[in-house]
Amino acid sequence: MMNKSVTAPARELDEALPFYKPQAREVELFEYGYRHQLPVLIKGPTGCGKTRFINYMAARLGRPVYTVACHDDLSAVDLVGRHLIGDSGTYWSDGPLTRAVREGAICYLDEVVEARKDTTVVLHPLTDDRRILPLERTGEILKAPPEFMLVVSYNPGYQNLLKGMKPSTRQRFVAVRFDFPAPELECEILVGESGIDGETAQRLVRLANAMRALKDHDLEEAASTRLLVYAATLILGGYEPVEACRAALVEPLTDDTETASALMEVVHASLGR
Amino acid sequence: MEEKVGELWHRLITRLAQDRYPQAAVCLTELDKTLGILFRALGGDGGLRLETAGATHHHARRGLLQRIAGSATKIELAWRDEHALRLPEVIDLFPQQSLNRDLYFWLAALASGEQGRVEPWLEKNQRLTRETLRRYPGMAGRYQRLLKAHLSQRPDPARLRPDEAAQEAAIRQALANPGAVSHLAPARHAPWPVPLWLHPSPPWVSQAGSDSAEPENASAGEAQNLSHERSRRGERTEMPEAERGLVTIRMENILSWGEFAKVDRGAEENEDLDQAVEAAEQMEQFNVTRDGKSVASKLRFDLDLPSDACDDEVLSEGLLLPEWDWKRQVMQEAHCRVMTLQAADAQPMELPARLNRTAKRLRAQFQQLMPARLWRRGQADGSEVDLDAYLRFATERGSGQLTNADNLYLDLRTGARDLSCLLLADLSLSTDSWVDNHHRVIDVIRDSLYLFSESLSATGDRFALYGFSSRKRNPLRFHQIKSFDEAYSARTRGRIQAIKPGYYTRMGAAVRHAHRLLDRQPAQRRLLLLVSDGKPNDLDKYEGRYGVEDTRHAIHEVRKAGIQPFCVTIDERGNDYLPYLFGSGGYVVIRKPQELPRKLPLLYARLTRE
């Protein structure tokens, strides 16, 4: 049960709505999916707001959300639950997926391609019209209530040579693609999220887009909105802007010193010395 | 004597007229990676190469000394065309190195804003300067420093003729206040060049190659070297120009082909074995025969390299393989002869240094793939007592059952994967072609073999490396690089180094032979990995449909035997025939051949993942 974060149910409504700016019609799609019991697949690059979107939607719909960050040792048992040893013998402990099914919550499997292949065994019956979760160990068969919703996400660009989602799994979801927001929107997000002034936000966004142009060519991953928020937070906290960009945008993206110094040139060009 | 004096005079006057600072020079090669990244990040087209710009005549008025010395007629200016961003090879205009560096960065930033619009030089550069400064405020400090240094080097308007002075003043103003000057008054001489701006009239690429920049081209080799990957991409997208760009190389090939050309191979279409042998024996003579006249069109050229006898040691002869005839739908038994060869002159060697880094990374990745050590329960013998088993045993005995005290131990064992992989590389003559200016297909295959073996030796999976080429059906040359039973060693590396292109691609026979070798492997999972650069083909009827059908038949057998075949190709047209041979999931086309070495081990990892 390591490396797994189960967020506390966020039952509080509107006033606790997380900050989120829709990119397209994803909010609508998610609501349709929720109403018609369709599982949703979200794909997009790292740090573009997938997790935030789920939390926002969960708050909007007033459902608790169970987030599971998948890793390559995550097996079906970790999702469904297992027997534990207690004072008076063994007892059954629900995993996050089982708990979400019982409570009619949203279960969010982040980076689902990382999980072991045997997880598909439990995901398949939940994602078609049966909507059941058979608990092999206890002999129970849980029928998912209408409020239960399964959401998975993955990053298609990430190590896609080694990992991919099985087409048979992929075909059970309605899918929505996320990308980095358009510059104006990203500025708003930066301002809204960190509280930085509009002009600095614009410069940061321009810098990020300059660095995104280098993806696949010079960098493996594009500078994410999350990193931009970090940079903005550092700058707002009084950290020197160029150094903040080095710490939040350059060093996290590359280990190669030559590339890093070239990126610093881009930072200098965008922000000034 | 006269010559000596002349030489001294030339040296003296050149030095006096010298307005460059070689001691502060900055070379493009030092900065090319940084500049490339900057250029692309600021919006420059990622498909452009970074190349050195040849010097061009500037036709401006020169100083007296310079005129006497005959120097300073040319200047290297930067420009951008549809193929490349061209920057001076060396910048030594300013006495401080930092300024020369700054100029490189400035030019790259300036060029990144260029859209290729046709507009007058003066306006364009002012607009570009203004835009660059607006979009990248951080460039302002750099520009001011450069401007200050450059203005001090420009000719003094007070000492020029009135028309030239007006021009000079306008340029000075345009530099200091971009966008302020809309018109340049005509003058007798062209204005003094502005190295801070892009080239006023960039020469066309073809011109740069032919007239003015001949010596520069020679020295530009280094810089082109560094950007070969990009250049490749550019070539792929801009097809017609790419052909032109490659002309020098093609000519070279044509010349070398000329030496082997017009070989008379009358016995060509004959299927008779004896005659084929005879023809082979006569090959050496024919290879060197030159003949000015064209040969009959039905004869093909044979571009074969040294004859088999002199280079490789013959391991086994006379193994006969069948071949599938799709027209008659019959298997022709004992149709091809396989000759297993091993490079005789291969010296043990270390991994080439340029691959060290990638190899290290891949090894680390592959080590993670290796199954962890596991405690095996219920073993007859082992390092620890299996408490569960012992408890069961004790309870059963306590309850009066009579059980044997066996399988009560735990043992720590490596969970070796039961997997064998045979890599079969195509070494036909087509691998002698160039993928870019510096790499032939065979080089890429060689690097792939190196990295593949490095990676696999980290996992402990059993693997073998073979290469193949063929000269009709007798013989199929099957090069043993590493067999299953050999360990990967310096000797293996030597043999990888020794692979060389030759002959043709009788793929079906090679697959059948590999099939046989894999069949002897006891492993549960067996993988046949084929690395190729094109379709099956050979000199005889093994071409087109016949070759494809035979290969397909061989692959089919492989699959039936429970061996997983997989093809990695760098043939861009592979999508036409490979689905037919391997099925849609059974192959992959690598678009950029340079990526093959790095991708091959990763592909292997994906194929063998549980």
Side-chain angles (χ1 to χ4, degrees), chain A residues 91 126 196 200:
Chain A
Y91 66 95
L126 261 182
I196 201 162
T200 318

Side-chain angles (χ1 to χ4, degrees), chain A residues 161 210 218 256 265 269 273, chain B residues 33 40-41 135 138 142 606:
Chain A
L161 196 61
D218 304 291
D256 184 49
E265 289 297 335
R273 261 174 221 267
Chain B
K33 188 172 177 193
R40 289 188 288 277
R135 282 168 58 214
R142 190 169 268 163
R606 190 176 66 171

Side-chain angles (χ1 to χ4, degrees), chain A residues 116 141 158 210:
Chain A
R116 283 203 345 218
I141 293 183
Y158 183 62

Side-chain angles (χ1 to χ4, degrees), chain B residues 401-423:
Chain B
Q401 291 182 28
L402 205 66
T403 46
N404 286 332
D406 44 37
N407 298 345
L408 297 184
Y409 299 93
L410 290 174
D411 196 20
L412 190 61
R413 289 194 198 153
T414 43
R417 290 202 291 190
D418 200 7
L419 193 130
S420 294
C421 174
L422 190 148
L423 188 142

Side-chain angles (χ1 to χ4, degrees), chain B residues 587-604:
Chain B
Y587 73 98
V588 63
V589 178
I590 306 261
R591 304 258 162 224
K592 285 194 242 167
Q594 299 92 325
E595 289 185 356
L596 180 67
R598 210 166 38 83
K599 281 207 171 152
L600 187 65
L602 295 178
L603 266 169
Y604 174 82

Side-chain angles (χ1 to χ4, degrees), chain B residues 425-492:
Chain B
D426 177 358
L427 302 180
S428 63
L429 198 68
S430 53
T431 58
D432 201 20
S433 57
W434 296 81
V435 294
D436 58 28
N437 289 353
H438 310 278
H439 294 92
R440 289 175 306 165
V441 176
I442 192 82
D443 299 326
V444 173
I445 289 184
R446 188 177 291 131
D447 283 1
S448 307
L449 290 179
Y450 276 130
L451 291 180
F452 186 78
S453 342
E454 287 289 325
S455 309
L456 262 76
S457 59
T459 61
D461 291 346
R462 285 170 64 76
F463 70 104
L465 306 173
Y466 289 92
F468 74 96
S469 58
S470 65
R471 205 176 53 205
K472 301 208 281 183
R473 56 207 184 86
N474 183 21
L476 170 81
R477 296 162 62 91
F478 209 74
H479 299 263
Q480 177 173 321
I481 300 165
K482 176 192 173 302
S483 71
F484 278 110
D485 299 325
E486 251 173 298
Y488 174 63
S489 64
R491 195 170 286 280
T492 319

